[in-house]
Amino acid sequence: MKIFLDTANLDELRKGADWGIVDGVTTNPSLIAKEGIAIDEQIKRICDIVDGDISAEVVSTDHAGMVEEAYKLAKIHKNIVVKVPLTRDGIKTTAKLSKEGIRFNVTLCFSAGQALLAAKAGAYIVSPFVGRLDDIALEGMNLIREIAVIYKNYNFPTQILAASLRSPLHVAQAAVAGAHIGTLPFKVLDMLFNHPLTDRGLEQFLNDYAKVFQEQASSRR
Ligand code: G3P
């Protein structure tokens, strides 16, 4: 599973990129607004940090506005994936401009039927939101499983990007369910490293080593 960072914060992106395991970035209007910098400028900076697919979302809700924004966003960098909501206008925009070679991430997907529409429209990526379904007491991970089966049944090339992942458990479950990509807030990526047995094991290895080799060094003195 590819790992994307779900942030527009440059410090978080630099730290993640430095670990060498970040394959791409997703942003949305809320994340861009949090940084307070115009989307085209911030997306350019993100493209300089991470060499991978970078999702940049339109804010128009009508087809004509989405088309205009999609052309502008796609021109910023070769790695841009234009993000549109899973609405009638979003699907129409995806179907039209995918044929021209613009890559789309269809976002705010909450049902397997919606995911089918995104694939039919030729989306490059579909983004089902796991955590937000959990929030309303529905099993978000079931959605990833259902989409994986549908896309496999019909050989749809659309990639499933598990979004709204809130914990290391979500990340592992999304990978088991067959998501092609998981997008993670920086905090969740950071937590993914942690295991108490790793810490305890490392401490023991270093103590055992130091006992023998420090004793040898001091007996030679
Ligand atoms: O980028 C969209 C998605 O990942 C948002 O997650 O936690 O706000 O539901 P969340």
Side-chain angles (χ1 to χ4, degrees):
M1 184 171 77
K2 289 182 214 162
I3 291 184
F4 285 12
L5 271 175
D6 194 26
T7 182
N9 182 279
L10 303 185
D11 290 336
E12 291 183 344
L13 289 168
R14 277 188 206 104
K15 273 191 222 160
D18 200 40
W19 286 325
I21 47 158
V22 172
D23 302 300
V25 180
T26 50
T27 66
N28 61 40
S30 305
L31 294 172
I32 293 286
K34 217 163 131 188
E35 303 309 313
I37 293 165
I39 181 164
D40 45 346
E41 192 47 49
Q42 193 67 357
I43 291 291
K44 263 185 224 153
R45 294 177 188 179
I46 292 172
C47 290
D48 285 341
I49 298 171
V50 176
D51 184 19
D53 291 339
I54 313 290
S55 287
E57 188 161 345
V58 302
V59 288
S60 298
T61 55
D62 65 298
H63 175 62
M66 285 183 186
V67 168
E68 197 183 320
E69 277 190 72
Y71 283 133
K72 275 191 200 147
L73 290 171
K75 258 189 217 137
I76 295 176
H77 195 277
K78 64 174 174 45
N79 289 346
I80 296 298
V81 178
V82 178
K83 210 169 169 190
V84 293
L86 208 156
T87 58
R88 287 168 181 78
D89 289 73
I91 289 295
K92 184 174 163 182
T93 305
T94 302
K96 188 168 179 238
L97 298 192
S98 287
K99 291 194 185 83
E100 296 180 19
I102 295 182
R103 300 177 309 159
F104 282 87
N105 174 353
V106 179
T107 190
L108 292 168
C109 172
F110 291 96
S111 78
Q114 287 182 319
L116 182 60
L117 297 179
K120 296 283 295 176
Y124 174 66
I125 288 172
V126 67
S127 291
F129 279 39
V130 173
R132 291 192 191 187
L133 283 169
D134 288 357
D135 289 345
I136 58 162
L138 291 171
E139 176 73 55
M141 211 52 73
N142 278 345
L143 178 57
I144 305 294
R145 286 188 271 271
E146 284 175 8
I147 301 172
V149 170
I150 293 170
Y151 283 10
K152 200 167 171 225
N153 282 350
Y154 300 101
N155 287 326
F156 283 122
T158 305
Q159 297 177 80
I160 305 166
L161 181 152
S164 189
L165 298 179
R166 310 257 179 84
S167 66
L169 181 62
H170 266 166
V171 179
Q173 287 175 332
V176 171
H180 303 96
I181 307 161
T183 193
L184 282 55
F186 180 80
K187 195 178 125 202
V188 176
L189 177 60
D190 192 49
M191 283 195 289
L192 213 48
F193 284 92
N194 301 337
H195 200 290
L197 291 180
T198 304
D199 298 340
R200 206 187 303 164
L202 180 60
E203 197 185 344
Q204 191 185 347
F205 288 159
L206 296 180
N207 283 341
D208 291 346
Y209 187 86
K211 255 185 248 154
V212 171
F213 292 103
Q214 274 173 9
E215 275 163 22
Q216 280 185 3
S218 48
S219 63
R220 251 186 256 124
R221 261 184 243 126

